[in-house]
Structure formats: C-alpha cells, structure tokens
Amino acid sequence: MFYSKEEFKENFSMRLEQQEQPVTLQTAYSILAGMVREFVKRDWNETNHFYQNEQRKQLYYFSIEFLIGRMLGQNLMNLTIYELVNEGLGELGYDLAELEEQEPEPGLGNGGLGRLAACFMDSLASLQMPGHGCGIRYRGGLFSQVLKDGFQTEHPTDWINDSAGWDIRREDLATYIPFFGEVQPEHGQRFKASLTNAEWVKAVPYDMPIVGAYGKTVNTLRLWQAELPEQHLLPKADVETYKQHVVAISDRLYPDDSTEEGKILRLKQQYFLCSASLQTILKNRDFPVSALPKHVAIQINDTHPALAIPELMRLLLDGEGLSWEEAWGITTHTISYTNHTILEEAMEKWDSSMLEQLLPRIYMIIQEIDRRFKEKCHQENLDSEAKKKLSIIEDGIVKMATLAVVGSYKVNGVAKLHTEILKMREMKELNEHFPHKFHNKTNGITHRRWLMKANPELSSLITSVIGNEWTKDPVKLHQLNEFVQDPVFLGDFKSVKQQKKNQLTEYLEKNQTIKIDPESIFDMHIKRFHGYKRQLMNIFHIQMLYNRIKEDSAYRPYPRTFFFGGKAAKSYRFAKQVIKLINTVAEKINNDPVASKHLHIVFVEDYNVSRAEKMFPAADISEQISTASKEASGTGNMKFMMNGAITLGTFDGANIEIVEQIGDDNAFIFGVTAQQVMQFEEEKTYHAREIIEKDREIGQLISELLSGKLSKGLENIDFIRSQIIDENDPYFVLKDLQHYARTHNRVLAVYEDTLAWQEMSAVNIAQSGIFSSDRTIQQYSDEVWDLEKIYSR
Ligand code: 7GP
C-alpha cells in the first residue's frame, strides 16, 4: 500500500530493482498494475464481507459481452491516486500515459451492448450499489481489424495470453455444466427429473475488481472459463476431441454461426454462462430459496442469457425439489430483461431440435413454459397472427425474445422511441398481455471514463468555472448554462478542443502515418458497420461534394476531415464492401490536389475503446445518421455530446432525447421520421429508382457507382448495388441523401460563426449530465432492482 507520492516511489523503485531482466515499458506497466491490484484488495474484501454480513440484495448483470477497455488508468482515477502516481512516475523518469498504452486491450465485446454493460459496472460501483457482472472469459475477444488494400481483414486477438492480469482465478468456486444426456423423469415427483449420460464441462470463475469512484466499493466482474472436468467426469474415449469442444466454449466471442457447428457453440456459450452463474448464486446463499427475489436480482442483457429462465427453473425443480408454481413464481420475480434491438436478424431464434439435443432438460422446461403460456392467452377470439406472437415455440423454432418476456418481471427498451416501438409494434401483443411489464430505461455512459478520464483538459476547465460537484452528480453540469455566452469560457473551450484535436492528430500520425489538418472540422462517424447506421450515405455525400468541387470552380468549402472507424462482422459482406468503398473514395480524394484541400477522409483502423477515448474529445461533429426507427438508442451520441461535439443526425434512438435536452437549435436534425419509415415499410410506397431517375446529382452518383468508377479495385460491389437497386434501398439512403447534404451546408454556415458554434457546444455539455449511466442505474435500481446503497461505510 502507498498513501503518499514518496511511498509510491519507494515501493515502485523497490520492485524495479527486484527485476532480473532489463526493465521494459511492459514490465514497468506490469509492476504498476500489480501495485494497483494490491491497493484494491483490502476494499474488495471489505465490500464482499459487508455484502455478506448485511445481507444486502445483490444484482447480477448477465451479459455475453463486457467491453471494458483498459483498466489501469480508470482504476487509478477512481481510486483518486492518478495524480499522485503520475507525478511519482514522472520523477522516476516514466510517463504514466505511456505505461497505460502497454495494457492489452480487452476486446470482450462487439459494440453498444457490451460497452453499456461496462459503463453499468462502473456506475454501480461508483454509486456504491451491490451489482456484479457475469460473463465469459474469452481467450480472444473481437478480432483486430487490419486494412489491406482498403479491405477489412480480421485477425484473432489473444487477450488472456498477454493479459494484464487484473483477474483472480477462483478454483474454490468452480462448478460443472451438463450438456447433452438423457432426461429421466422422476414419476410422481411433480415436474422433477434428472439427467444421465451428460457431457460435463468445468466452469472456473475469474474475478475482476470493479473499483467505484473514490475507492471503497469494489464490486466483481466474474468471467467464466471452460475447462476439462476431473477424470471421473470425462468420457471413456477420445478425450482429445472432447477437450477441443470444451476449450472452444470460452475461446472466442461470437464464433461464426453460419454453420451448424458454430450455432451449437454459441448456444453452449450461452448456457455455460447462465448455468455457471446461477449455480454459484444458489450454492452460496444463506437464505431460503423461496426468498431469492428478495435477495437477488438478475438482469439479462438482451436474449443471449435468456436461458437463465429455464435454467433457474431446472435448478429449482430438480435441485431444490420445488413445485412448478413455486419455481415459476421465484423465477419470474428474479429475472428481468433488456431488449437492445428490433432488427429481425438480431432476434435470436434456435431450432427446437438443436436445443433439444444439446440441452434436453432445458428444452423440456421451455416446452412446458410455452404450453402453460399458450393455455392462458390463446383464447378463441385471437387471430392466428396474434397467436404466433404469443408463442415461444412456433414451427420448430424457439423465439428467445418471447421466452425472455414471458419469464421476466420487467422488460425494458433502451430509449423512449425504442420502447414505444417495442410496445406498439414489435411486442404489441405481449405488451397487451402483460400491461405493466414494459418500461423504458434510456441508456447512459459513464462520465468518469468518457469525460473525466478521456478529456481531463475539459474536465478541469469545467471544474474551474462551476466547481467539482458535477463529478459526483453530473446533472450539475447544467450550471455551465450560465457560461454558455461567456466569451472567456468559450475561448477556453475552443483551446481545449484544439488541444484534443492536436493530440489525436499526433496519435494518428504516429500510429497510422496519416497526415491530418488539425484546423479542419473533425466530422466523425464511429460505430460498428451496419446498413442501418448508413456509413454508405456518408460516403455517398462525400463523393457528391467531390463532384461539386470538380464541376464548380467557385465551390471551395471550409476544410473538413471525415473520420470513419468501426468493424464489420466477419460474414457481413455488404458492410465490408462499404468499408472498401470508403477507402477507395478516400484514396482518390486524399490524392486529388484540389479536392484534398477541402475534403479529407481518415479511416481509423481497428477502432476500439482506447481509440474511442482519443476520438470523442476531438470531434466537432457527431454523425448519428441511422435510418429512423432502427437504432435502439446509441451511446456514442452521448459520448460526443458530453465532449461538446454537435449532433448531425436523424430523429432516432436517444438522439430524440438529446434534442429534448438542448432544443432544436443546438443540433442538426434531418431525414424521414420513424413514423414515415414504418409507413413506407408497411405500404411499400418508397421507390429508390424514382429518385435515381429524377435527381440529377444522385443519378450521376449511382451511375458512377454502377460503372465501377467509384470502386477501383473493388470489382465486386454487387452487394451495394443489389441493396440499392434490387432491394429498393431498405435503409432509405437515397431518400435522405439530399436532406443530409443540405444539413451539412447548414453545419458549415454555423461553424464559420465561431462564437455561435462554441455556444452550441457548451449547451451540449451543460445538458449532457442526464446521459450519465449513473442516472440510468439509479432508475433501474429504483424501479427494477431495488438495491440499497452502502451509505453507512
Ligand atoms: C446496441 C444498439 O444497436 C444500440 O442502439 C444501443 O445503444 C446499444 O445496444 C446499447 O443498448 N445493440 C447491440 O450492441 C447489439 O449487439 C444485438 O444488439 C443484440
């Protein structure tokens, strides 16, 4: 332990001296991380003892992804020793920022849903609430992205092997998970059964400390690793193959599910996570099982952990010997569910036959849940469409979202619009059947990582004018409203923004050898690649600007740098072609002597949490241009806002609530509304072809695209072509394109009025506090989980 800079330096130097090998930055990092781990240990133990002794209700957040990002800097900050360590290291000739860069990036997630889980962990601990994460300790997280000739290539990452070592193996809590086997009903014994001839997998937890702000509360992120079980649980023959199957379970996040084998593996991962977590919760309790809902809340992060419902039933029926009614009562008062998408392709559905084979007892329980549910709600007067919607199993398919709704006590969407769409359209029948189950919890982001840690310069500026209470209660950022017209404050804000733009420029020059003009407008579109997120519309617009520059020698707009960052799922061909298209257009424009003075495109390779932390603070414009109704919430929009970037977006997801906070004048909104999109979809009255024929500029763009002119080196743009032409532009790219272009013009006009622009930025920051995940977590706690803070400590 160290309480002063001198103590820290002494301790650190001593460890350095003990090294036998020459000290590299990597070793210096490991030493520091080791010291922080020790620092945290006492509070972690105390927190756990407190929870046990006081019998506090515990929340477990089940998630297949935890996109936590690097932990060193965040932990130092939350422990309030960042400055102490920074100075101490400096005096010893080390640069803390440089050591932070040594930490391997834990890519245990893909996008919004995984990053949300990580923000929630931080807020729970910081609000001193008993809430823990349960996930999988993937050896390799999401692939790293390398661009080759403008194409995305995917490379496996190996997080564990070069792990930072924050987590601790808990052999004492290992448990065993059964797959396959045969169900033996215990006749006359209610719904009880047992499983014989199962294949067993050992689940070993690794616990990672989640340090709340100001230390003290240290919660746990428990990540499960799959291992070969002990000898007596092994099959007699072919142990080698068995081992491969076992190890694969915690090998990769989202294994390719285009094959039958890949699908089985995903299902195994899901059950593995649910069963291991639930078994441990039940085993280590010191209250009667009937009191479970009083002591435990389980939140399932989308449907990936929905098997928690039948698994809890199994443990209660077969393990505890409860009746169906008792078990169902407990389950449906313990589990709640968050939906993160209405995209059809992301709605999980499993073949009954696959589930039945892999998890026979679980399938049997799902069948019974379905049977009882249908018995209740399939009344005579229900039409066949409604009956379908009110079925968990239908035509040999198990619909996980329906299972999740039926088995939870609360169901939420992640922004107001999204929740309304769930209630009124996607899950209308379920909402009518369970009128009090559905509610909204608009997402949030932790301001500790996304403002205080990522942008210490802006944080200090804010504190210098309104004091530091906002760090504990971010809604207090609204005190900045008094300064949004103060030229001194706005001037200081401008310098901070410039500083962050310079830092990003230097970083990218060093890491990607890209030259950027830090005085240009930084316009950023950073998120996963997907049709509905419309990176295609962005690049179409840039190509249109290029055409205008070529055709009109008087058209010379203010210099802009367009940043793209994000990965496309490995098998998502359309999205991968969009990446290639962006890079092809980039090459042309960036090398054009005239156009490159006005337009510059930067594709930031391998976009991840650490890069994101460098990008959000440097942005002027936040591109949030999803097809209205498709983006459930978005959280990047909030990170930009908190750092003073201005939203250029559609009325979708949480953009709507952002505008509610700041007013129409402080964002640039365009495009068709969710209502209109849904109407077009229902009535089939949108015809992309008409736009191509009538709009000269768009016509030219599409003919350039089709002729291959835009796509040098990309002979194959068939996916883009077929989406726009054959599939009639399902994401309304052409429909919104001109409105988007006009809105960009408005942006430029305002940007050139520096003070007006700074004022808009300042209003955005001042009104962003409500989008802290502290607010979100407080609402979940008040309305769903009923947690108590540890005030007494
Ligand atoms: C995302 C949504 O696309 C995004 O709008 C939202 O902000 C975020 O979740 C957090 O709620 N969804 C995912 O990341 C995802 O993988 C598939 O959804 C289940």
Side-chain angles (χ1 to χ4, degrees):
M1 286 298 269
F2 48 93
Y3 294 101
S4 69
K5 185 168 73 182
E6 290 315 315
E7 267 178 331
F8 167 75
K9 279 166 64 181
E10 211 173 292
N11 198 328
F12 187 77
S13 311
M14 191 185 71
R15 292 173 195 233
L16 281 179
E17 278 158 26
Q18 287 166 354
Q19 298 296 312
E20 284 161 11
Q21 308 288 333
V23 177
T24 59
L25 284 177
Q26 183 62 47
T27 15
Y29 159 77
S30 298
I31 291 172
L32 181 58
M35 285 172 71
V36 176
R37 228 167 25 241
E38 282 171 30
F39 195 103
V40 162
K41 213 150 121 203
R42 199 193 57 193
D43 281 341
W44 200 6
N45 284 336
E46 269 189 25
T47 307
N48 282 332
H49 283 141
F50 178 83
Y51 289 157
Q52 236 158 30
N53 296 340
E54 300 286 312
Q55 295 230 338
R56 282 293 164 89
K57 184 173 184 184
Q58 305 286 312
L59 159 76
Y60 298 94
Y61 197 82
F62 283 22
S63 180
I64 208 84
E65 300 183 29
F66 282 94
L67 192 46
I68 51 180
R70 289 177 173 148
M71 297 306 280
L72 175 64
Q74 189 64 51
N75 283 344
L76 287 172
M77 211 191 72
N78 279 2
L79 292 166
T80 61
I81 53 173
Y82 193 90
E83 273 318 307
L84 176 158
V85 168
N86 192 17
E87 284 174 23
L89 282 175
E91 289 169 22
L92 295 172
Y94 285 94
D95 176 4
L96 175 54
E98 209 172 14
L99 297 195
E100 284 178 56
E101 289 288 318
Q102 306 303 312
E103 179 170 350
E105 180 86 20
L108 308 186
N110 179 16
L113 164 157
R115 183 55 231 175
L116 186 76
C119 284
F120 281 5
M121 290 294 104
D122 184 70
S123 284
L124 281 160
S126 297
L127 292 175
Q128 308 206 25
M129 288 181 183
H132 315 278
C134 298
I136 295 180
R137 189 175 190 252
Y138 305 103
R139 185 172 63 81
L142 193 63
F143 63 83
S144 82
Q145 175 194 56
V146 177
L147 296 175
K148 279 215 174 82
D149 296 329
F151 286 103
Q152 163 177 298
T153 61
E154 301 88 18
H155 301 264
T157 53
D158 218 334
W159 174 60
I160 300 294
N161 284 351
D162 39 42
S163 161
W166 289 109
D167 53 5
I168 298 173
R169 183 179 169 93
R170 296 288 309 269
E171 185 70 42
D172 56 317
L173 293 176
T175 180
Y176 299 85
I177 317 297
F179 292 100
F180 302 104
E182 290 124 38
V183 180
Q184 310 295 337
E186 295 189 10
H187 292 292
Q189 296 254 350
R190 303 172 169 184
F191 201 77
K192 201 170 175 184
S194 59
L195 204 59
T196 51
N197 296 326
E199 291 185 8
W200 293 92
V201 172
K202 182 175 178 182
V204 185
Y206 281 72
D207 284 357
M208 191 184 275
I210 300 293
V211 181
Y214 314 104
K216 287 286 175 235
T217 300
V218 181
N219 289 335
T220 301
L221 171 57
R222 177 162 289 167
L223 300 177
W224 293 96
Q225 178 165 293
E227 296 182 8
L228 213 54
E230 282 69 17
Q231 199 65 34
H232 69 280
L233 290 174
L234 282 179
K236 307 261 167 330
D238 204 1
V239 176
E240 234 353 271
T241 316
Y242 190 70
K243 185 174 173 191
Q244 281 169 14
H245 285 163
V246 168
V247 173
I249 295 176
S250 52
D251 189 57
R252 299 259 139 238
L253 168 71
Y254 294 139
D256 178 11
D257 66 348
S258 56
T259 62
E260 190 76 356
E261 211 180 329
K263 285 199 181 87
I264 292 182
L265 184 53
R266 282 205 191 191
L267 200 49
K268 275 188 182 169
Q269 291 185 325
Q270 300 186 351
Y271 183 64
F272 174 76
L273 161 65
C274 296
S275 180
S277 308
L278 285 168
Q279 286 191 43
T280 318
I281 292 168
L282 287 186
K283 220 186 293 172
N284 296 299
R285 69 173 202 274
D286 45 14
F287 49 82
V289 75
S290 58
L292 191 71
K294 216 174 122 223
H295 293 266
V296 169
I298 292 170
Q299 187 72 31
I300 56 176
N301 199 22
D302 219 276
T303 54
H304 316 119
L307 289 175
I309 293 161
E311 174 64 2
L312 182 54
M313 288 297 288
R314 181 183 77 93
L315 296 171
L316 296 176
L317 294 166
D318 302 351
E320 303 288 334
L322 300 189
S323 70
W324 181 275
E325 288 73 17
E326 287 166 321
W328 187 242
I330 294 172
T331 301
T332 52
H333 285 87
T334 303
I335 295 180
S336 45
Y337 154 59
T338 305
N339 173 286
H340 295 267
T341 185
I342 54 160
L343 288 192
E344 187 54 31
E345 82 233 31
M347 289 290 187
E348 284 196 298
K349 297 186 179 83
W350 296 109
D351 280 343
S352 300
S353 55
M354 183 189 285
L355 248 171
E356 186 169 20
Q357 195 201 357
L358 182 68
L359 305 167
R361 177 61 176 152
I362 291 298
Y363 183 67
M364 192 181 258
I365 292 171
I366 297 176
Q367 277 183 312
E368 182 63 9
I369 297 174
D370 185 47
R371 189 189 67 77
R372 288 173 182 245
F373 179 57
K374 283 176 178 156
E375 196 174 75
K376 244 195 188 154
C377 65
H378 281 203
Q379 315 296 351
E380 292 279 297
N381 56 356
L382 218 57
D383 64 34
S384 66
E385 210 33 49
K387 279 189 181 157
K388 266 187 178 173
K389 295 272 187 172
L390 294 170
S391 304
I392 298 169
I393 306 175
E394 185 201 335
D395 299 336
I397 301 284
V398 181
K399 296 182 290 182
M400 300 308 273
T402 315
L403 173 65
V405 173
V406 174
S408 296
Y409 66 101
K410 289 273 176 192
V411 175
N412 74 289
V414 289
K416 283 184 198 165
L417 173 69
H418 170 231
T419 303
E420 279 313 296
I421 294 177
L422 283 180
K423 284 164 68 171
M424 300 304 165
R425 206 182 64 169
E426 298 304 309
M427 298 186 172
K428 183 168 173 281
E429 293 74 9
L430 285 164
N431 179 47
E432 280 162 6
H433 186 76
F434 300 111
H436 304 296
K437 226 181 231 198
F438 286 74
H439 65 110
N440 177 54
K441 289 289 160 284
T442 298
N443 283 162
I445 56 164
T446 164
H447 62 287
R448 283 166 293 274
R449 184 177 286 262
W450 297 107
L451 178 51
M452 295 164 66
K453 176 72 183 74
N455 202 343
E457 296 85 350
L458 180 57
S459 302
S460 316
L461 173 63
I462 295 171
T463 298
S464 74
V465 292
I466 61 167
N468 67 2
E469 274 186 33
W470 66 271
T471 60
K472 280 193 187 154
D473 180 5
V475 172
K476 295 227 163 87
L477 282 169
H478 69 67
Q479 292 168 353
L480 275 181
N481 279 317
E482 273 183 49
F483 299 87
V484 298
Q485 290 182 339
D486 175 344
V488 180
F489 173 71
L490 294 182
D492 290 344
F493 171 69
K494 184 166 187 251
S495 326
V496 166
K497 183 58 84 180
Q498 193 57 55
Q499 206 178 335
K500 300 312 280 183
K501 288 166 81 169
N502 295 345
Q503 287 170 7
L504 178 65
T505 304
E506 278 162 33
Y507 172 80
L508 289 174
E509 273 181 14
K510 206 163 115 199
N511 286 273
Q512 247 182 276
T513 58
I514 301 174
K515 274 214 95 49
I516 296 167
D517 170 11
E519 306 287 331
S520 60
I521 299 176
F522 281 18
D523 178 309
M524 296 195 185
H525 200 167
I526 48 180
K527 46 183 85 244
R528 286 178 301 136
F529 271 77
H530 198 289
Y532 82 83
K533 295 181 188 276
R534 298 202 291 193
Q535 284 92 352
L536 185 64
M537 186 165 77
N538 190 339
I539 195 65
F540 275 178
H541 169 245
I542 298 172
Q543 172 65 29
M544 268 162 48
L545 292 176
Y546 173 79
N547 289 347
R548 283 182 204 174
I549 290 175
K550 286 283 166 198
E551 284 164 16
D552 179 358
S553 60
Y555 182 68
R556 294 294 178 260
Y558 194 98
R560 269 174 286 185
T561 305
F562 295 95
F563 292 83
F564 289 90
K567 297 175 186 176
K570 195 173 173 182
S571 54
Y572 192 178
R573 313 244 323 251
F574 168 82
K576 290 171 90 167
Q577 291 191 347
V578 174
I579 292 181
K580 171 64 181 170
L581 184 67
I582 291 171
N583 287 311
T584 311
V585 174
E587 201 183 316
K588 178 181 62 190
I589 294 183
N590 296 350
N591 291 311
D592 182 298
V594 178
S596 64
K597 291 205 182 82
H598 306 273
L599 311 171
H600 185 195
I601 302 173
V602 172
F603 195 106
V604 175
E605 214 171 15
D606 200 30
Y607 176 66
N608 58 20
V609 175
S610 306
R611 302 225 155 109
E613 286 168 24
K614 296 180 171 64
M615 295 179 79
F616 285 107
D620 296 306
I621 294 167
S622 155
E623 296 266 1
Q624 305 301 334
I625 60 176
S626 51
T627 313
S629 79
K630 307 287 180 205
E631 186 69 273
S633 161
T635 45
N637 45 5
M638 301 169 185
K639 293 165 198 160
F640 278 119
M641 176 193 192
M642 216 173 248
N643 282 282
I646 293 166
T647 304
L648 163 50
T650 47
F651 254 128
D652 198 18
N655 296 352
I656 297 175
E657 286 155 78
I658 288 180
V659 174
E660 246 171 52
Q661 288 299 315
I662 57 183
D664 299 354
D665 294 348
N666 292 302
F668 297 96
I669 300 298
F670 72 95
V672 288
T673 61
Q675 275 291 337
Q676 290 168 320
V677 167
M678 292 189 281
Q679 203 171 345
F680 279 133
E681 285 173 344
E682 259 157 47
E683 296 170 4
K684 303 202 182 333
T685 41
Y686 170 57
H687 307 291
R689 236 174 230 289
E690 284 174 11
I691 297 180
I692 300 172
E693 281 157 16
K694 285 195 192 128
D695 184 310
R696 185 199 63 82
E697 205 175 15
I698 293 181
Q700 178 190 349
L701 176 87
I702 296 301
S703 71
E704 282 171 337
L705 180 78
L706 298 187
S707 71
K709 233 170 116 186
L710 293 189
S711 52
K712 198 158 61 59
L714 175 60
E715 281 72 38
N716 234 337
I717 48 153
D718 48 337
F719 281 88
I720 299 178
R721 186 200 342 252
S722 74
Q723 181 152 115
I724 295 290
I725 310 286
D726 308 338
E727 288 168 44
N728 189 33
D729 185 19
Y731 297 112
F732 301 88
V733 169
L734 302 188
K735 177 83 189 155
D736 276 347
L737 187 51
Q738 287 295 7
H739 197 182
Y740 178 55
R742 289 196 299 279
T743 312
H744 262 288
N745 290 340
R746 281 209 291 138
V747 171
L748 280 191
V750 180
Y751 190 83
E752 294 194 47
D753 179 352
T754 310
L755 271 186
W757 185 268
Q758 307 307 343
E759 184 180 335
M760 284 176 82
S761 290
V763 172
N764 270 273
I765 301 168
Q767 297 296 107
S768 67
I770 196 167
F771 298 109
S772 165
S773 43
D774 289 4
R775 185 268 310 151
T776 317
I777 287 297
Q778 188 64 55
Q779 290 178 330
Y780 273 102
S781 176
D782 292 346
E783 295 166 39
V784 187
W785 304 329
D786 195 20
L787 304 178
E788 241 182 288
K789 291 189 181 191
I790 317 173
Y791 276 130
S792 50
R793 280 166 22 100

